[in-house]
């Protein structure tokens, strides 16, 4: 098929590249010429493992990138994968969606039936909105010359290519028989894993034949639109729950790692998303919970559980700051190092991260903050230019004369860091590990006062000079 992906961000660039890899003639369109230039040079506009291995062999052959919408006229399927940021009231800003719909409408051809796919996370009713906008711009009638389908994405940043090639489910929402047929044909190669052998040299994970085939689920457009919001909000609730349990463990002397493991053994619960952190963040959970909550309130059916999860998450960010205050007392004049700015490892996405909220509070309390992240510093700085912080090229530099180092993102390189060297650099060797990720026994043996979240074994007595109280 001829496939067009509008948007060269985390969803569009990965989706377009994957469809090209399995044989579809694919064009990625974006209004940002810099992203298009990167793609045409065989480079990914976003950091995502595997993209740099795939792109050079595809670009210019059956993968193309452009700022022009002309390719829409020849497309069988057009994906809309643009941003839907939150407005001040929590609802999704559909400005980019509307612009894409209007541009698609101007380029549609009567010579072929075109399926327009909402891949972006959008509020209920957006399928109908996009259809009406395309009708206005094209003069064509929905379901006669084109149809609009809801096909929400379920990609995890850092594992996005794996999630495209090995999805656990594909959700398609449409009432159009012709639209359903086109979507079935489009996803056939992914579901049946056609062409994976030829790609496995570049992407070794494609050799995996144990992963079950995707469940292909068809429903109506409104239900499909709700599924993505419902899933993300549920996961946010689950994370907020285990984070609150970590706080209770600290009060009662329990160990949240054991509690989470025991909970996860219950097949009704499962062990995923029971990892403690300084709070959920990133480009999806904050935005999607805000939209779902705002919509539920607007229509008089407030989702109180989601509302509580949002409040709990905000308090978790501040709980991390409170733990530092308990150890250092006043933060005025203190130096604090931050390891990790992205909301998770293996991505450069630093939008709406827990780091932004925590660093903001530390700065307000008078601390000097130095930060490091392997991939996310450029984006974090562009989004948080108001924060007077020091960006370090090396992670060890965050510890120079520091009174505390806080690990916020569990990048593998932080586990492999020369912590003995870090100890020698710090003024007070205190480490707060908000992911319970580091080797606590090793750090304590070096002489660190190590503290995690929800651990009964938290010990803050320094070996040696006792700079800090126990």
């Amino acid at each position: 098929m001829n496939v067009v992906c509008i948007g060269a961000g985390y969803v569009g660039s990965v989706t377009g590249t994957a469809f090209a890899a399995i044989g579809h003639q694919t064009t990625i369109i974006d209004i940002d010429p810099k992203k298009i230039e990167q793609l045409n040079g065989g480079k990914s506009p976003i950091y995502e493992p595997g993209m740099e291995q795939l792109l050079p062999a595809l670009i210019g052959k059956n993968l193309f990138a452009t700022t022009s919408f002309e390719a829409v006229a020849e497309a069988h399927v057009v994906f809309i994968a643009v941003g839907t940021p939150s407005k001040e009231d929590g609802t999704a800003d559909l400005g980019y969606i509307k612009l894409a719909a209007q541009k698609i409408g101007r380029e549609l051809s009567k010579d072929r039936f075109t399926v327009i796919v909402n891949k972006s996370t959008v509020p209920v009713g957006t399928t109908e909105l996009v259809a009406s906008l395309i009708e206005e711009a094209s003069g064509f009638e929905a379901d006669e010359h084109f149809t609009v389908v809801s096909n929400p994405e379920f990609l995890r940043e850092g594992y996005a290519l794996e999630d495209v090639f090995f999805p656990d489910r594909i959700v398609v929402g449409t009432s159009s028989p012709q639209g359903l047929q086109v979507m079935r044909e489009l996803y056939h190669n992914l579901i049946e894993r056609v062409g994976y052998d030829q790609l496995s040299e570049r992407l070794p994970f494609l050799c995996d034949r144990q992963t079950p085939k995707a469940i292909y689920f068809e429903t109506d457009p409104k239900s499909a639109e709700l599924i993505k919001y419902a899933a993300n909000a549920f996961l946010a609730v689950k994370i907020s729950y285990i984070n609150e349990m970590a706080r209770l463990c600290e009060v009662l002397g329990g160990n949240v790692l054991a509690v989470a493991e025991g909970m996860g053994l219950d097949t009704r619960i499962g062990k995923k998303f029971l990892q403690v952190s300084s709070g959920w963040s990133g480009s999806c959970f904050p935005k999607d919970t805000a939209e779902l909550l705002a919509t539920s309130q607007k229509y008089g059916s407030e989702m109180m559980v989601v509302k509580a999860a949002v409040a709990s998450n905000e308090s978790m960010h501040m709980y991390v700051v409170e733990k530092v205050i308990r150890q250092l007392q006043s933060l005025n004049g203190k130096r604090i190092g931050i390891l990790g700015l992205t909301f998770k490892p293996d991505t450069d996405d630093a939008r709406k991260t827990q780091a932004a909220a925590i660093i903001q509070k530390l700065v307000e309390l008078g601390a000097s903050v130095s930060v490091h992240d392997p991939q996310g510093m450029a984006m974090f700085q562009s989004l948080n230019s108001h924060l007077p912080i020091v960006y370090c090229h090396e992670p060890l530099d965050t510890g120079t004369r520091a009174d505390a180092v806080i690990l916020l993102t569990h990048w593998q390189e932080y586990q492999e860091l020369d912590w003995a060297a870090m100890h020698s650099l710090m003024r007070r060797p205190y480490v707060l590990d908000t992911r319970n990720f580091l080797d606590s026994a090793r750090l304590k043996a070096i002489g660190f006062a190590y503290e995690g979240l929800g651990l009964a074994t938290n010990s803050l007595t320094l070996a040696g000079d006792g700079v800090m109280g126990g």
Side-chain angles (χ1 to χ4, degrees):
M1 291 187 177
N2 285 337
V3 176
V4 167
C5 285
I6 299 174
Y10 290 90
V11 177
S13 61
V14 172
T15 301
T17 300
F19 276 123
I22 59 172
H24 297 297
Q25 185 91 351
T26 305
T27 302
I28 297 174
I29 299 173
D30 201 284
I31 59 175
D32 185 346
K34 183 178 179 182
K35 290 181 180 179
I36 297 305
E37 183 180 348
Q38 288 175 302
L39 282 167
N40 283 324
K43 296 186 178 299
S44 175
I46 51 105
Y47 176 78
E48 185 63 43
M51 286 288 284
E52 298 289 355
Q53 286 71 40
L54 274 184
L55 280 169
L58 296 172
I59 202 72
K61 296 176 183 175
N62 61 326
L63 178 62
F64 304 89
T66 178
T67 57
S68 169
F69 278 70
E70 291 179 0
V72 169
E74 302 297 322
H76 298 100
V77 180
V78 179
F79 283 95
I80 299 177
V82 298
T84 54
S86 293
K87 294 190 288 189
E88 287 188 9
D89 64 356
T91 58
D93 184 347
L94 298 181
Y96 296 120
I97 295 281
K98 293 175 181 178
L99 180 63
Q102 291 162 353
K103 287 181 175 289
I104 290 169
R106 296 185 192 119
E107 299 293 340
L108 278 185
S109 170
K110 279 189 176 180
D111 296 336
R112 69 177 68 222
F113 186 85
T114 309
V115 176
I116 291 79
V117 182
N118 273 340
K119 199 70 175 167
S120 303
T121 303
V122 292
V124 174
T126 304
T127 299
E128 296 171 348
L129 171 65
V130 169
S132 65
L133 289 171
I134 292 175
E135 282 183 329
E136 290 175 11
S138 66
F140 301 160
E141 188 175 341
D143 294 331
E144 182 177 335
H145 298 101
F146 73 93
T147 193
V148 181
V149 172
S150 176
N151 175 216
E153 58 87 10
F154 300 102
L155 306 183
R156 300 167 298 162
E157 291 180 29
Y159 299 90
L161 277 173
E162 291 185 46
D163 288 341
V164 172
F165 285 110
F166 290 122
D168 54 5
R169 79 281 201 202
I170 297 168
V171 175
V172 173
T174 181
S175 57
S176 164
Q178 203 167 349
L180 284 174
Q181 185 59 37
V182 169
M183 295 301 288
R184 290 168 188 166
E185 293 175 13
L186 175 71
Y187 276 112
H188 176 269
N189 285 5
L190 276 175
I191 294 172
E192 298 301 325
R193 300 172 184 176
V194 176
Y196 282 25
D197 291 339
Q198 294 92 319
L199 295 170
S200 59
E201 280 189 18
R202 291 190 179 89
L203 300 176
F205 68 78
L206 291 179
C207 296
D208 181 6
R209 289 294 180 268
Q210 305 304 313
T211 306
K213 288 185 179 180
I215 296 172
Y216 189 84
F217 180 66
E218 295 175 344
T219 184
D220 62 276
K222 289 184 178 180
S223 295
E225 290 164 341
L226 264 174
I227 284 169
K228 176 61 183 291
Y229 283 111
N232 274 1
F234 185 84
L235 295 176
V237 169
K238 196 173 182 181
I239 297 169
S240 287
Y241 182 85
I242 198 63
N243 283 340
E244 287 201 356
M245 190 57 66
R247 291 154 67 172
L248 184 60
C249 283
E250 291 192 1
V251 174
L252 299 180
N255 188 318
V256 75
L257 298 179
V259 172
E261 184 174 356
M263 286 176 61
L265 295 175
D266 187 330
T267 55
R268 298 169 301 173
I269 298 173
K271 61 184 178 181
K272 292 185 177 180
F273 287 85
L274 288 179
Q275 289 73 43
V276 176
S277 68
S278 56
W280 43 265
S281 62
S283 58
C284 290
F285 283 3
K287 175 175 67 70
D288 294 351
T289 53
E291 164 62 32
L292 186 61
L293 181 58
T295 297
S296 70
Q297 292 168 333
K298 185 189 301 182
Y299 288 93
S301 186
E302 184 176 60
M303 300 196 71
M304 292 181 285
V305 173
V306 175
K307 183 178 182 179
V310 171
S312 174
N313 193 61
E314 291 173 355
S315 68
M316 195 66 197
H317 296 337
M318 293 306 101
Y319 185 70
V320 170
V321 176
E322 290 164 8
K323 286 178 76 72
V324 177
I325 292 173
R326 283 200 292 269
Q327 304 312 317
L328 304 184
Q329 285 83 51
S330 170
L331 297 188
N332 196 30
K334 299 294 195 303
R335 295 177 180 269
I336 297 176
I338 300 290
L339 295 177
L341 299 172
T342 55
F343 76 101
K344 62 185 289 188
D346 297 318
T347 180
D348 61 350
D349 194 348
R351 292 174 289 176
K352 294 186 179 296
T353 65
Q354 67 272 37
I358 291 169
I359 292 170
Q360 176 71 50
K361 191 63 177 178
L362 293 173
V363 169
E364 288 174 2
L365 293 171
S368 299
V369 179
S370 299
V371 304
H372 176 269
D373 189 279
Q375 295 293 335
M377 288 198 291
M379 183 183 291
F380 188 88
Q381 187 170 15
S382 69
L383 295 173
N384 300 280
S385 58
H386 61 287
L387 290 176
I389 57 180
V390 176
Y391 292 86
C392 302
H393 293 294
E394 298 296 332
L396 283 176
D397 293 340
T398 63
T400 302
R401 294 197 54 73
D403 298 285
V405 166
I406 308 172
L407 182 136
L408 294 179
T409 314
H410 49 303
W411 287 90
Q412 185 60 35
E413 72 175 73
Y414 295 151
Q415 196 170 67
E416 299 166 358
L417 196 63
D418 185 347
W419 284 98
M422 178 72 85
H423 183 275
S424 67
L425 290 170
M426 294 180 68
R427 184 161 57 188
R428 302 186 186 202
Y430 165 57
V431 172
L432 174 56
D433 177 5
T434 69
R435 301 300 308 228
N436 297 333
F437 175 68
L438 303 174
D439 185 341
S440 60
R442 176 181 164 222
L443 265 63
K444 290 174 184 176
I446 291 171
F448 281 101
Y450 170 89
E451 193 172 16
L453 293 179
L455 303 182
T457 55
N458 275 341
S459 175
L460 296 169
T461 303
L462 282 171
D465 60 12
V467 173
M468 291 168 52

